[in-house]
Amino acid sequence: MMHTIRTHAFSIVFYTLSFAFILFLLTPRPDEKVDQLLTASVTVDQDATVEQVAKVYNDGSMTDQEYVKWLIENNELETTHTISKNKIVVPIAQQ
C-alpha cells in the first residue's frame, strides 16, 4: 500500500491541487456581485421616485442605497427623486 502511494504521489498531489484550483475559480467573489446581475426594462409611473422603484424591485442583492445609486448611474437620471422617463432599466439578481 505504502509503495503504491509513493509511486503515485505526484499524480495524487497534482489532481488534488487541480481540483482545488477549479473550485477556487468557480467560487463567486463578493466584488463580482454586481457583475452577476441581469437587467429588465420596466415602465414606471410619471410621478415615481427612484426610492419607490428600489423598494419594489430590490430583491435584497444590494442595499437600498446601492440600488438607488445603480438606477441613477445606469439610467442617466439627473436626480434621486422623480423619474423623468417612462421606461428604465432595473437590476435583477441572477437566479
Side-chain angles (χ1 to χ4, degrees):
M1 172 84 175
M2 197 62 147
H3 177 68
T4 305
I5 292 174
R6 286 184 183 157
T7 56
H8 299 296
F10 177 77
S11 298
I12 293 168
V13 170
F14 176 76
Y15 287 117
T16 303
L17 290 176
S18 297
F19 180 72
F21 183 69
I22 289 170
L23 284 177
F24 173 76
L25 290 177
L26 294 177
T27 305
R29 311 289 176 275
D31 57 335
E32 295 175 354
K33 177 174 64 172
V34 175
D35 295 335
Q36 297 176 351
L37 294 174
L38 298 175
T39 58
S41 179
V42 296
T43 303
V44 294
D45 292 335
Q46 209 167 15
D47 297 329
T49 65
V50 180
E51 290 83 5
Q52 290 170 336
V53 173
K55 285 182 183 178
V56 171
Y57 290 101
N58 189 2
D59 60 358
S61 60
M62 292 186 260
T63 65
D64 287 339
Q65 293 84 9
E66 289 174 329
Y67 203 89
V68 167
K69 181 179 176 186
W70 191 98
L71 288 173
I72 292 168
E73 289 175 358
N74 290 282
N75 289 290
E76 300 173 358
L77 301 174
E78 296 178 10
T79 146
T80 60
H81 298 293
T82 306
I83 298 173
S84 60
K85 300 179 177 183
N86 289 340
K87 286 189 177 230
I88 61 169
V89 177
V90 295
I92 301 171
Q94 192 171 11
Q95 299 291 326

